[in-house]
Amino acid sequence: MAKMSSLERVATAIQLKEPDRVPVIPVLMIRALREIGVKATQQVLKDPDIMAQAKIAAFKKYGGDALVAGTGLNVEAEALGCTMEYQEEEIPIVQDRILEQNPSLDRLGEIDIHKGRVKAVAKEVEILNGEYGSNAVVGVCISGPFTTSMELRGLSGAVADMENNPGYFKSLMEKSTREIIRYVDILIDHGALALDMLEPLCSCDVISPDMYRKWALPYQNTVMEHIKSKGRVPIIHVCTYTQPIWNTLIESGALAFHGDIQPSLKKCNEDIGKKICLIGNVHPIDVLLYGSAEDVRQTSEECIKSAGPGGGFVLAAGCDTGFDVPDENFHAMVETAQRTNYPLN
Amino acid sequence: MLLDDIAQALAELKKPETASLTDQAIDEGLIPTDIILKGLCAGMDKVGERYEKKEYFVPDMLKASQIFNEAMSKVRPLIADQESKPRATGVIGLVKGNTQDNGKNIVQVMLEANGFKAEDLGKSVAQDKFLQAASGGADFIGLSIMTSAGVKEAKKVVAALQQDGFRARLIVGGAAVDAKKAEEIIGADGYANDAGEAVLIMKQWFPN
């Protein structure tokens, strides 16, 4: 088979077909900063030039088929008024939830490019797209409506709302959805091709499948359909144990499912692998952080064996990678994919 | 039996029923510690079992803890000081930089339900807070660790505790650790995979 560009390779996998070889995304966001010797301070995270420089340095060093702009969660929550705590080696975390004490949605305002890190992430997308957009996938993370609502209101308050004031919670979900779409539009205007919707709180370790279907799925679907209407690629990311909602995730409209898929990538592939591209499943902590390069190689090979045959699979870290992941472990994952050509034996 | 009914009502997350049955038990003069241990704590054990079996989820645990705490507020004033002495006193919190507190909240409630006084230090807790607890005589310190940077932070907390010679038992848990990391990297005394294990370990450390 003729050699494909990274863009063609991932696009072929998303279309559930076999590319020239197994595509691979090592997922370096905060971790990329280490490549240029900086930490994740507020100043750095709000500087698109530094952020892009870090991602490019990581891409040149480790390779892979996609670059991921930004640092993941909470951009929307920050832009909507939550106070953040910036950390040197982690993504910023919500310190004060704007709706925790006073639930009035009027306090939220609207997301625009001047709020929080929105401009920084959008500009970073633009720089990465300018450098690599014609050859590789330029992706970016967005927070999902459920996770965003939880960040704004807090889990305890939101759970009480679902039971005692479902009308309010519905309004909150609708508001989160509208604001995420505003953010999506800004990112797309700056060249984002793939948008990975992060919904860690939709894991079956946190909420029930029924709650997922009622309170998350319809709003996710609205965002996913909007992304598709703009000709871009929506991906859903849910962490850890997800088996009871695998088939429901497909209804979100996402074209790919990314995660540290539990209990088993093999089982997931058997259940839904013909319907949605799977992206994973090298565990970012157990394997990438604490494992050896040989562990990473073996896990990568197992992932490819589990979900690679027939295509529709991208080898990737199951979640964002930590600041201390050793260089050789990224190399081991990327090299394993690069030497695995289709058709697989 | 009334105490079984309390446990069952709580296990089924029936808030008004748990409250009214608790009132009834108090009115009938049942021993307050029996109401707590054989009624409310037994109910929380059932809730924990259902969570382990994936029949209940985090929102259910939050609801159960709310029902439990409201019922406890009725019973607690009736307990004499001696009877209410906890098995052990300590703190629990997410290490600095970590904020996903669902698991930590569940562990805290289950410890309280099993006779431990576990002060909740909350999320992204600075190292000094844990040291203060230790210097204040805490019997145990619980660290919840959700990220790889959190592991580094926990290691620092443990090193600081050891350097200062504090003897509080240290238990860790969370998505970023397992038994091996807890022992070899962090240097904790114990690791709990879930709230049930945390209670078991604590009961071994602090038998009545």
Side-chain angles (χ1 to χ4, degrees), chain A residues 296-326:
Chain A
V296 175
R297 225 178 322 273
Q298 279 182 18
T299 302
S300 299
E301 286 169 356
E302 283 165 20
C303 289
I304 293 169
K305 194 175 166 190
S306 296
F313 173 67
V314 178
L315 181 68
C319 203
D320 190 18
T321 52
F323 212 77
D324 294 324
V325 172

Side-chain angles (χ1 to χ4, degrees), chain A residues 195-256:
Chain A
L195 294 103
D196 192 356
M197 178 190 282
L198 310 180
E199 283 279 36
L201 296 181
C202 289
S203 158
C204 299
D205 284 332
V206 181
I207 63 170
S208 69
D210 289 344
M211 191 175 277
Y212 173 70
R213 177 172 283 285
K214 180 176 180 180
W215 285 118
L217 181 67
Y219 307 95
Q220 290 175 350
N221 181 249
T222 299
V223 180
M224 298 297 187
E225 293 305 323
H226 181 80
I227 293 170
K228 285 195 280 193
S229 76
K230 299 267 183 173
R232 308 303 164 107
V233 179
I235 300 166
I236 182 89
H237 172 96
V238 186
C239 308
T240 63
Y241 179 59
T242 46
Q243 186 173 13
I245 58 168
W246 283 343
N247 276 290
T248 320
L249 285 171
I250 294 168
E251 295 176 42
S252 73
L255 299 179

